[in-house]
Amino acid sequence: MQMAVYFCTGVLQEEKLFHHYALNVPLYTHFTSPIRRYADVIVHRLLAASLKCGPRVHLTQDEVQKQATHCNNKKTASKRVQEMSTELFFSIFVRECGPLESKAIVMGMLDKSFDVLVLDYEVQKRIYCNAIEGLQSFNFRKVGKRPEMTLVWTPNELEDDSVTQEISLFSVVDVLLSAGEGPLKYTAVLRRPTHTQF
């Protein structure tokens, strides 16, 4: 789903930007209390002026669009800083309390890696197949549109043969989160499956 953006009507030519997908209405605007965001102050003023219950707003379309673009940039930057802050504090947590074991769900697959959602900590990490210790080989394939991967684990001292693990989207796997190479990095490592997992 696309993140909502601020824009000035009459400046952008795409009429679909006015449409609200979930409400299925052709024209839509959104605002909250004007003490929260500057964009809401502008919307309040413009709506009040258009309803003739407030003073005229002396801004051109280009000036309103420039302010909308600035608000969009600040909103995107704020979201990114929030994500980076969460990542920073979780990295410190893993460094001080780790390594941490958890179940994870495979959320995306590429030819040499896959993404997991670590259930206990609600973080998403990418696992690279060529970095999995004890993995003998891996094979990515698509069955129709469904991605699948076969992992072959090298036999250990308790096993005579290699262990084969099949994973696909929404497979549940065991992962270990541990401190990474940098001071504020952490990694997710796929754990070798037990006999009940394959």
Side-chain angles (χ1 to χ4, degrees):
M1 182 179 263
Q2 182 181 354
M3 186 164 59
V5 294
Y6 304 112
F7 64 95
C8 177
T9 58
V11 173
L12 303 180
Q13 299 304 316
E14 298 180 53
E15 289 188 18
K16 66 181 180 181
L17 291 175
F18 296 95
H19 182 263
H20 191 285
Y21 176 80
L23 297 176
N24 196 22
V25 292
L27 299 172
Y28 175 82
T29 190
H30 170 82
F31 58 91
T32 62
S33 168
I35 63 170
R36 185 160 173 233
R37 295 182 293 227
Y38 183 68
D40 297 320
V41 172
I42 298 297
V43 172
H44 274 254
R45 289 176 182 168
L46 291 170
L47 283 174
S50 68
L51 296 172
K52 309 255 190 282
C53 60
R56 184 175 181 280
V57 178
H58 299 284
L59 294 170
T60 66
Q61 283 183 333
D62 288 338
E63 289 171 331
V64 172
Q65 182 57 41
K66 185 176 179 180
Q67 290 182 6
T69 301
H70 180 74
C71 288
N72 289 332
N73 292 341
K74 293 301 179 185
K75 184 170 72 168
T76 302
S78 173
K79 183 172 174 45
R80 182 67 187 128
V81 167
Q82 181 181 3
E83 291 168 354
M84 291 172 67
S85 175
T86 301
E87 179 99 0
L88 169 69
F89 283 102
F90 188 71
S91 297
I92 293 168
F93 174 73
V94 171
R95 183 165 297 283
E96 293 185 4
C97 301
L100 308 169
E101 293 184 33
S102 178
K103 296 280 185 197
I105 296 178
V106 176
M107 299 301 290
M109 299 182 77
L110 299 170
D111 59 341
K112 296 179 182 177
S113 64
F114 52 94
D115 295 330
V116 295
L117 174 64
V118 183
L119 297 177
D120 288 341
Y121 305 102
E122 298 178 6
V123 295
Q124 197 164 343
K125 280 305 262 186
R126 178 159 291 171
I127 296 177
Y128 295 93
C129 295
N130 56 6
I132 300 174
E133 193 172 319
L135 197 62
Q136 185 175 317
S137 65
F138 60 92
N139 179 35
F140 174 83
R141 66 194 171 283
K142 282 200 172 183
V143 179
K145 292 186 176 184
R146 176 186 160 118
E148 295 180 349
M149 191 175 286
T150 302
L151 306 175
V152 179
W153 295 83
T154 306
N156 62 21
E157 62 276 355
L158 302 174
E159 301 161 341
D160 295 331
D161 296 323
S162 58
V163 173
T164 301
Q165 180 182 20
E166 298 288 340
I167 63 171
S168 58
L169 291 177
F170 308 117
S171 292
V172 178
V173 295
D174 289 317
V175 296
L176 182 71
L177 300 176
S178 56
E181 293 178 12
L184 302 176
K185 299 283 184 188
Y186 69 96
T187 60
V189 177
L190 183 67
R191 301 295 305 266
R192 185 185 185 86
T194 62
H195 289 290
T196 58
Q197 290 180 302
F198 50 87

